[in-house]
Amino acid sequence: MKKTSIAAAALALCGLWAAGSAQAEGHYVPGVEGMQAASVPPPGMYYLGYLVNYNIDDFRAPGSSSNLPGHNRGTVTALANRFVWVTNYKLLGADYGVEAIVPIMRTSLTINAAGISDSRSGVGDVYLGPLVLGWHGPQWDAVAAAGMWFDTASTSHPASPGKGFKSTMLTGGLTYYFDGAKTLSGAALARYEFNGRNDAGRRPGDQLTLEWSLGKSFGAVSAGLVGYSQWQTTNDSGTGATSDKSARHAVGAELVYPVPGAGVFLKGALYKEVSAKAGTGPEPKGSLLRFSLVKAF
């Protein structure tokens, strides 16, 4: 890579990490939902805790699938606290609910290509979802939802937890059971983010996330294949923006174990990103380990 290209990549990287997250575009972190991702629980109050560790092996250079030069690594550990209330009311034939997500994050970055070495902890941008709809059929479940990510978190340092802009997120998905006993399932969950502008006038391109799974239950325990893909669907705009769009794809495995009598489900999944392409700014590529706890009240 020429020196001018390295300098351009470093400047773009500084601008990216001023937004404060491992994902280059959008708020939603892929891989937090796995098997039966589109199945809304019955009416009640629920807490879902997602403990995620994203280990960054390298960074793709802007506009390519090649790595930035030098030693560039990062780790993001987050606990996303999700609160869901599924009411007894019906809307369009579906159970109606609301939700909120409050993430707590720890980010460590060592990016020699941009001269960055930083670690920060804090509360990330908060999500409020006033619309959650869950439908249930004999061998299928479906979901539709809408909400907004707010720019509530700090963006003052490269590893700060905030994105610096708001996003409107729409969700839709389907879980299908291939047998009447519901022991074999397939699921797909799509989330689309309409990203806003930050204080500097830069607007990241919109983002589409697709999470998928194929699972099998063995009595109380379930296991299966999981994966995710993310695509930037529109161009970035503002200073330094290009027509390059980012993308990433990952595959993995998940295990689900219920705790009888406690109303608790424990889930664990490991994803490996098999490809990543950077857009205007550098794009991380690595592996994601996720543990989830679902508690019904």
Side-chain angles (χ1 to χ4, degrees):
M1 181 181 288
K2 296 180 180 179
K3 290 184 178 180
T4 54
S5 298
I6 295 174
L11 289 173
L13 191 59
C14 289
L16 166 68
W17 286 107
S21 178
Q23 304 302 119
E25 308 293 342
H27 285 85
Y28 184 72
V29 177
V32 296
E33 302 290 356
M35 292 185 293
Q36 302 178 22
S39 299
V40 177
M45 299 288 293
Y46 300 89
Y47 168 77
L48 299 89
Y50 306 93
L51 181 61
V52 177
N53 180 263
Y54 182 55
N55 188 51
I56 302 169
D57 298 324
D58 48 57
F59 290 86
R60 299 306 202 205
S64 77
S65 297
S66 301
N67 294 336
L68 285 171
H71 179 77
N72 307 298
R73 296 289 185 269
T75 302
V76 181
T77 302
L79 174 61
N81 300 283
R82 184 181 180 190
F83 306 91
V84 181
W85 176 31
V86 182
T87 72
N88 291 312
Y89 296 99
K90 295 286 187 179
L91 180 61
L92 301 176
D95 294 330
Y96 168 73
V98 296
E99 63 178 336
I101 302 173
V102 181
I104 301 172
M105 305 173 62
R106 171 68 177 177
T107 302
S108 297
L109 303 173
T110 300
I111 309 172
N112 291 338
I116 291 176
S117 180
D118 192 28
S119 296
R120 302 286 164 179
S121 299
V123 178
D125 292 338
V126 172
Y127 175 81
L128 297 179
L131 180 67
V132 178
L133 300 177
W135 292 269
H136 306 283
Q139 288 184 223
W140 59 270
D141 298 313
V143 64
M148 176 170 283
W149 292 95
F150 292 88
D151 54 341
T152 54
S154 171
T155 60
S156 57
H157 296 87
S160 293
K163 284 285 189 178
F165 57 87
K166 298 180 179 67
S167 297
T168 299
M169 186 169 74
L170 304 181
T171 299
L174 176 70
T175 298
Y176 183 77
Y177 300 95
F178 297 96
D179 59 333
K182 297 185 176 182
T183 63
L184 182 62
S185 67
L189 183 72
R191 300 188 189 270
Y192 194 91
E193 294 175 82
F194 298 90
N195 295 323
R197 294 186 181 275
N198 61 21
D199 290 340
R202 180 178 180 272
R203 180 186 180 277
D206 296 341
Q207 178 173 274
L208 172 64
T209 303
L210 177 65
E211 296 176 273
W212 57 267
S213 68
L214 182 62
K216 171 69 175 176
S217 64
F218 304 91
V221 178
S222 299
L225 297 174
V226 292
Y228 62 77
S229 292
Q230 279 189 325
W231 300 272
Q232 181 183 342
T233 59
T234 63
N235 294 340
D236 293 350
S237 63
T239 304
T242 70
S243 59
D244 296 313
K245 297 182 177 67
S246 62
R248 67 180 60 246
H249 307 279
V251 296
E254 182 179 46
L255 183 68
V256 179
Y257 180 77
V259 180
V264 171
F265 282 85
L266 301 177
K267 304 180 180 183
L270 177 63
Y271 296 81
K272 177 63 177 179
E273 292 182 339
V274 295
S275 68
K277 178 183 181 298
T280 297
E283 186 80 3
K285 178 179 178 290
S287 58
L288 185 145
L289 177 64
R290 183 252 303 161
F291 296 100
S292 305
L293 180 148
V294 181
K295 169 63 178 175
F297 294 94

